Amino acid sequence: MTTGSAAADPPAPARSRPKLTVLPLIALIFYDVSGGPFGIEDSVRAGGGALLPILGFLILPILWSLPEALVTAELASAFPTNAGYVAWVSAAFGPAAAFLVGFSKWASGTLDNALYPVLFLDYLRSSSGAALPPPLRSLAVLALTAALTYLNYRGLHLVGLSALALTAFSLSPFVALTALAIPKIRPSRWLAMDAAAVNLRGYFNSMFWNLNYWDKASTLAGEVEEPRKTFPKAVFGAVGLVVGAYLVPLLAGTGALPSETAAEWTDGFFSEVGQRIGGPWLRVWIQAAAAMSNMGLFEAEMSSDSFQLLGMAEMGMIPAIFARRSKHGTPTFSILCSATGVVMLSFMSFQEIIEFLNFLYGVGMLAVFAAFVKLRAKNPDLARPYRVPVGTAGAAAMCVPPVVLITTVMCLASARTFAVSAAVVAAGVALYYGVEHAKRRAWVEFLAPVPPPPTDSCHGSTAASDDDDVEDVRAGLLDDEPADEASARSRSA
């Protein structure tokens, strides 16, 4: 069987591929998580008024977003590789658990990405008033997916720069909206809540969807310039940007419009808010910003999902073909795999997709928080260029609120969501054993991590064994040489 390097296309020299810097990485994290206030409208209707969503976007970033961002900053600085959270879980619990987390998160991300070409067309339809017939609409979704996939193929630095430009454009109409809304704001409207109209399942799913995916960008850590310094800065910068992008337009819109309009707040309602506050010109501006935001969301999600597959291939978890890079440094087959999943899932409804992806994402995040706590307890001396300034007990306590939130969202899921998620997990288990069987039989080629250097640790203790597990992951993925040279030295399974 040939070696890993023979299977891969000759990559461009590592130095010729531009790396992500702080600002483009902030924009990519912003689009991994948010993309702007588009999509938060349903939280007003499901919350029965302005009070619950305002409280949600004030409190949940502290209970949910900040802990996840802190975990991401610490572990991404300790494992600055494209495997991201897969490497974290592998170091803590072994390759089987890591594979299942990687599969469930990839499935969740692909479900999420299936929304954006459809939403892009929906926003264009709402601004033009013309609806495409079903056959043309399907072709338009396919063409849009192909065009955005090609941009992803052309280079991550281009995706980062385009995300930076799209961030500025997507948020620009809300600066005008807020300025025009100020004279019309009545603070008493922010306290409105109709208890009879509250839909807890819809409310929590909307809030959770709009505040998750902080760890997604960890799969890009191997493409970041000085990731141990850059990644923490970018994560914390993105937290402030996301919270501001949600709260300011929400306060402006709900404060300027009568409380009785709460039932009208459904997906896309911000364009109507712009119409009522500023006129047709602001409505069109918001609709154009929403359409372009969906392009940014697609690009960021596609990058994270594709580089996750590349990282898993570099760990020897999936076939080596997923580690192949194009001349632009992008994972060609991983991108094609993710794009195929998007096209296949684009027929599903908006609410179905949100509930399914939230559940699958929750399963993966429970494992990530558990890995964070275990690595703190069992490997306190692991090199962490950024470290959350709390001890092991504080780290565990920090994870309690997000775990409670995840459990709440999962418990509110429908029976159908439980069934679909169970089927996805079962498929992941079957795929793991199928891949391991193919590896043993040498049916396809796999890369193997670089063997770790010998250590003087005592292998008889549990702590030493845990240290070895972590070092196995780090030694295979964290090499001072360029990633492509490390791949060239890998051996087949």
Side-chain angles (χ1 to χ4, degrees):
M1 184 166 58
T2 58
T3 64
S5 58
D9 294 337
R15 293 179 183 175
S16 69
R17 295 200 296 267
K19 294 283 190 176
L20 289 174
T21 54
V22 173
L23 288 180
L25 184 57
I26 287 176
L28 283 172
I29 297 173
F30 173 72
Y31 275 111
D32 270 325
V33 177
S34 169
F38 317 105
I40 71 170
E41 300 100 326
D42 197 55
S43 65
V44 178
R45 182 181 59 82
L51 181 60
L52 282 183
I54 289 173
L55 288 176
F57 285 117
L58 283 171
I59 297 171
L60 291 182
I62 298 173
L63 298 180
W64 165 251
S65 298
L66 188 58
E68 187 178 356
L70 289 169
V71 168
T72 300
E74 177 170 310
L75 292 182
S77 72
F79 297 85
T81 77
N82 293 323
Y85 40 77
V86 178
W88 313 344
V89 176
S90 181
F93 302 114
F99 183 95
L100 290 177
V101 167
F103 180 76
S104 65
K105 279 181 165 284
W106 179 84
S108 173
T110 305
L111 273 168
D112 188 43
N113 226 10
L115 289 170
Y116 303 127
V118 175
L119 289 177
F120 176 85
L121 294 176
D122 286 344
Y123 276 109
L124 290 184
R125 180 191 64 186
S126 63
S127 60
S128 65
L132 293 174
L136 288 180
R137 180 180 173 82
S138 298
L139 287 175
V141 169
L142 185 61
L144 185 59
T145 301
L148 295 175
T149 299
Y150 178 71
L151 177 61
N152 222 282
Y153 164 79
R154 284 301 305 272
L156 186 59
H157 69 290
L158 289 179
V159 174
L161 293 175
S162 65
L164 198 58
L166 287 170
T167 298
F169 180 74
S170 297
L171 296 180
S172 60
F174 295 99
V175 176
L177 174 70
T178 302
L180 293 172
I182 289 175
K184 304 179 181 181
I185 288 176
R186 303 293 180 269
S188 60
R189 293 169 178 167
W190 294 335
L191 304 178
M193 187 186 77
D194 180 3
V198 174
N199 175 359
L200 286 180
R201 179 192 293 176
Y203 171 76
F204 276 108
N205 271 300
S206 176
M207 298 298 299
F208 189 62
W209 179 59
N210 281 292
L211 288 169
N212 63 18
Y213 283 98
W214 290 98
D215 63 323
K216 266 293 183 180
S218 67
T219 61
L220 306 177
E223 312 301 311
V224 174
E225 184 177 322
E226 296 187 71
R228 291 179 172 89
K229 296 179 180 179
T230 301
F231 217 93
K233 294 178 183 177
V235 168
F236 297 131
V239 169
L241 183 60
V242 167
V243 174
Y246 284 153
L247 267 178
V248 173
L250 181 63
L251 289 169
T254 56
L257 297 185
S259 302
E260 293 75 20
T261 62
E264 300 179 48
W265 283 73
T266 56
D267 295 315
F269 188 70
F270 263 121
S271 61
E272 181 63 26
V273 175
Q275 169 82 28
R276 297 181 189 184
I277 292 177
W281 64 273
L282 188 52
R283 176 191 181 97
V284 172
W285 191 2
I286 291 175
Q287 287 171 335
M292 299 307 291
S293 175
N294 281 291
M295 294 180 63
L297 289 162
F298 184 99
E299 289 299 308
E301 184 68 60
M302 174 72 76
S303 296
S304 298
D305 292 342
S306 302
F307 276 96
Q308 177 201 317
L309 293 182
L310 179 145
M312 292 178 71
E314 289 177 341
M315 291 182 71
M317 288 187 173
I318 57 178
I321 191 172
F322 290 100
R324 291 186 180 181
R325 291 181 184 255
S326 69
K327 62 182 180 181
H328 307 292
T330 49
T332 308
F333 289 91
S334 296
I335 288 174
L336 289 175
C337 182
S338 295
T340 301
V342 167
V343 172
M344 292 175 62
L345 295 169
S346 60
F347 69 91
M348 298 176 66
S349 72
F350 184 83
Q351 289 301 327
E352 280 182 326
I353 287 178
I354 286 181
E355 191 167 317
F356 291 161
L357 69 87
N358 277 347
F359 196 99
L360 290 171
Y361 181 78
V363 170
M365 280 310 302
L366 290 175
V368 167
F369 284 122
F372 172 68
V373 174
K374 181 174 180 181
L375 289 173
R376 272 298 193 95
K378 299 296 184 182
N379 302 93
D381 297 327
L382 175 68
R384 296 171 171 90
Y386 172 80
R387 184 183 180 94
V388 181
V390 294
T392 302
M398 184 185 78
C399 295
V400 171
V403 167
V404 170
L405 178 61
I406 292 171
T407 306
T408 300
V409 172
M410 294 174 72
C411 289
L412 290 171
S414 65
R416 183 179 181 187
T417 297
F418 274 104
V420 170
S421 300
V424 171
V425 172
V429 173
L431 187 59
Y432 171 74
Y433 286 107
V435 168
E436 289 299 302
H437 185 71
K439 187 185 300 184
R440 288 193 300 270
R441 295 298 184 97
W443 289 343
V444 291
E445 185 179 4
F446 291 83
L447 300 179
V450 178
T455 64
D456 296 328
S457 60
C458 298
H459 298 285
S461 67
T462 302
S465 178
D466 288 332
D467 289 342
D468 292 341
D469 290 341
V470 176
E471 289 307 318
D472 285 347
V473 175
R474 287 170 59 86
L477 295 173
L478 308 183
D479 199 304
D480 291 333
E481 298 173 331
D484 295 311
E485 293 181 25
S487 294
R489 295 199 296 119
S490 64
R491 55 182 174 82
S492 59

